[in-house]
Amino acid sequence: MFFFIGTSIFSQNINLKVVGNTDQGFSVDIYSGSQLLIHNTEELSLKAANLDLSEISEIAAWKGSEWTGNENLVKLSRETYLSDFDLNIFITVTYQVINQHVIKKTVDLFQSGMPTLYFTIKETSKPAETPSKYVTFEHDNFPGGFSHEMYPSAGFVTSNNILVGFLMDAGYKNHYTRTTRRRFNGHGGGFVGMRKLPDPELVCVVTLAERANGKEYIQQTFGEMYNLDAGKETVLKLDDILQKVGKVDIEKQYGLMTLKCEPSSRTGIEFVTPLTDQKIYTVSFLAKGNSPIAVKLFRNKNGVKTVELEHGIKYIDQFPINENEWTLFKGSIMVPYIEHDSVSMFVGSQSGKKCSIQIKDLQIVEHQPEKQPYNKMNMGEKATKTTYIFVEPWTNHHDFVMSSQSRLAEGKGFKGTLIEKMLYANFNMLTWITSINDFTPLNVPNMNYAPDMYNRDSFFSIVSSYNKELNLKIWEQWAKTQNNKGAIATIITPYMGTIEAKDNEATIQFLIWAMLNKRRFGVTLPKEKIDKAVAYVLNEFDEDRDGICKSHFTLSQIDINKYEPKTDKLAVNQGVFAIALKTIQELGYDISETYIQKAIAGYLDFYDVKRKHLVFDRDFPDVITMTDLEPEFFSLWLFSEPMLTDDMVINHLEQMPILNKVPNSPHPEYGTTAPIIIKLTDDEKGYSYLTSNYQPFREFGEANYKDGARDGFYYNGGSWLRAEYSGYVVGLKHGWKKAKPLMENRAWAEINLNPSWPYSKEFIPTKWTTTDSWWESTRGLSWNVFILMANEVVGLRTPEMDPDFKK
């Protein structure tokens, strides 16, 4: 029997059909008009286990025993008895048509007979006919297997060019993490893979071998962990052909190599490993010597070394070893789909000094790990998994990447422009759980920084949402990092510790966030935490209470320098301190207006009347930055009042060079990106990038700004969307006529300047010949979602456009 519920009100005419009967069970087919797109043989499968994993029970192919529905909604339900646990589980599956392109699917699980149950749930979606191809976020023609990419989406294309895409809710809601690694121990820096690897098959596509046997599917798996210390292991044969890197002599005995390295930037050995796509490995060896060791894994395409391998051993530059005793290096790595590139491994020294290193028992093991459930179904509490299906005409992979973002935002009820939707979706996909044992939300800047939550980045990300749970829980995580002095930590590192709490802007942001949480949600926050943070800010930044801020660090994102002794020469620090005093006053502390005005006057005093801009650093008066307008943005955003005059703001912005002119941008007469920091010059060009001889960053600048090596990149002219866009909003509020077109150009640039990367980025270079030179590590930065707040400041959006906003 077929039961039809149509959605003819939509031009796309997405239709839900309930298929089945009371004996066989009911499932839902999805149509576009009269074309059947998805025909599932089940709605889900479930693996359940008790907490010691001694008993496991499975529901292989769940269907509803009954259903209800209307023209936009279908609900399937069934109560299933698990005899292994003497337990009933009630499952409800709901399909809801959101708009003419998007369907929301929700799975609710409930049990009231067992304190806690581990579970894994798989949702397998089956094309009704053989697709012309499968696509993922990073690959236009994906050959199958698990897809661990920067954004979890996959889809298939029908023979008549209809795209069917599959998305999912944020990890903090669906209880998954995309973490594949942790910080290394021994202060060696870098990352290694985890022994218990969560959610590697979060997104999975039918393999070529399975397709040859008539199978077609896309699968989403929640709550499954690979246990590398259980299951099977295979020791792989390593290539005997070693390539020397730098000046090195190699002495080989059975199982032992001695490397005698002459001074060089990188000295050691390199060889091709047996690592291949979509497998899990562990690399291990014993080492001793008089130099720290670097361990690097690189992809090689057609014999050419390309990028460092991502998910496991990475950034191991100085693994500490001892001259007199063996030290074990051991790290796992997940190899995703890497287009069948080979993988080379370097082991040696990057110290630049003469040294001797011994390597013993070098081994690579391939794992067939045991798969274990780790999500929890607690007694009397509903567990929910939410996924999304979107349908639209197939155009190209570029548009699929954009739709994967915008359709997720629509599915979640978010309203906004295309760039706002994309940034909101990216922010959600970078907010997951902390670990397999800690379901507290965690927000990472992008996949390159995972698994670490850089607190200052998470501030800009989370305050851009009106989600009460998210704002309060992550603020509470910040509060737990507070040290005895009252400072809030810079970073939270799952699976490892951190001692980094310093006089940057994190503690000030903690107080601003507390103020926003009180305004938005009317909550009472722990007074002792706020008391300590207030005392820290006042004592650390202005011990003598003269209104002048002094700090060892910049109170902005440009954090590559430490000032010894403390400096009072940074404009942004003085402005942020003024905002801190206004915040502390609103929180109910005794801060006089006179004191606040002293701090504001100190900020205004950084405006150089002759140069007509705010001076970033008084020791480098020709340097101009976008971050120096950030305190003014905070004042307009948080307190609806300016600190700077119109002339100060307009004159400052008029001197910022706007680069990367593009004919098809919204306003081709202007550039599309401005550098975050640049040196102004008196010549016709009007600016120059920083050099090793004129830059405020000491050793960092001396090492990195030689011979134009980083011109236009990172903190030598890179363009940061959040800082730049917020600066233009300040200009718009102060009457600068160029502000609106530059806002539109910069938003356009984020999506379109690099056609291969239509998504958020940490920064965009302002000087480049080809986009191949753009840093892969910058892709997908979460905090750019803060432009939602910037747009609120100038009335381009309202809080009601956020699905979590409540009056």
Side-chain angles (χ1 to χ4, degrees), residues 292-340:
I293 286 183
V295 183
K296 320 289 281 185
L297 290 162
F298 292 97
R299 291 174 58 174
N300 296 271
K301 186 176 288 294
N302 300 322
V304 178
K305 187 185 299 180
T306 57
V307 296
E308 197 170 350
L309 209 58
E310 282 293 324
H311 302 292
I313 297 170
K314 191 176 183 187
Y315 302 133
I316 301 290
D317 298 316
Q318 297 188 63
F319 174 64
I321 59 175
N322 193 290
E323 280 191 81
N324 301 314
E325 60 184 49
W326 294 104
T327 301
L328 175 65
F329 176 92
K330 185 177 182 180
S332 65
I333 182 163
M334 183 188 81
V335 182
Y337 175 59
I338 56 171
E339 301 174 306
H340 307 301

Side-chain angles (χ1 to χ4, degrees), residues 2 19 27-30 36-41 125-128:
F2 290 82
V19 182
S27 59
V28 174
D29 283 353
I30 297 177
L36 177 61
L37 299 175
I38 298 174
H39 176 62
N40 292 334
T41 53
S125 299
K126 299 178 179 178

Side-chain angles (χ1 to χ4, degrees), residues 63-107:
K63 291 184 178 183
S65 60
E66 55 187 51
W67 69 275
T68 60
N70 57 42
E71 62 182 6
N72 295 319
L73 192 70
V74 172
K75 184 174 289 188
L76 310 172
S77 59
R78 178 189 291 269
E79 187 170 58
T80 302
Y81 176 67
L82 299 182
S83 60
D84 295 316
F85 300 118
D86 193 21
L87 180 71
N88 285 321
I89 294 182
F90 188 76
I91 301 176
T92 303
V93 175
T94 304
Y95 286 85
Q96 180 184 4
V97 177
I98 300 298
N99 61 29
Q100 61 183 349
H101 294 288
V102 181
I103 296 170
K104 178 180 180 180
K105 180 182 178 182
T106 304
V107 177

Side-chain angles (χ1 to χ4, degrees), residues 243-246 266 268-272 296-309 341-347 350:
Q243 181 178 342
K244 292 183 179 182
V245 178
R266 179 175 289 183
I269 58 167
E270 195 165 54
F271 62 95
V272 176
K296 320 289 281 185
L297 290 162
F298 292 97
R299 291 174 58 174
N300 296 271
K301 186 176 288 294
N302 300 322
V304 178
K305 187 185 299 180
T306 57
V307 296
E308 197 170 350
L309 209 58
D341 290 354
S342 62
V343 177
S344 64
M345 179 176 172
F346 167 82
V347 180
Q350 296 183 154

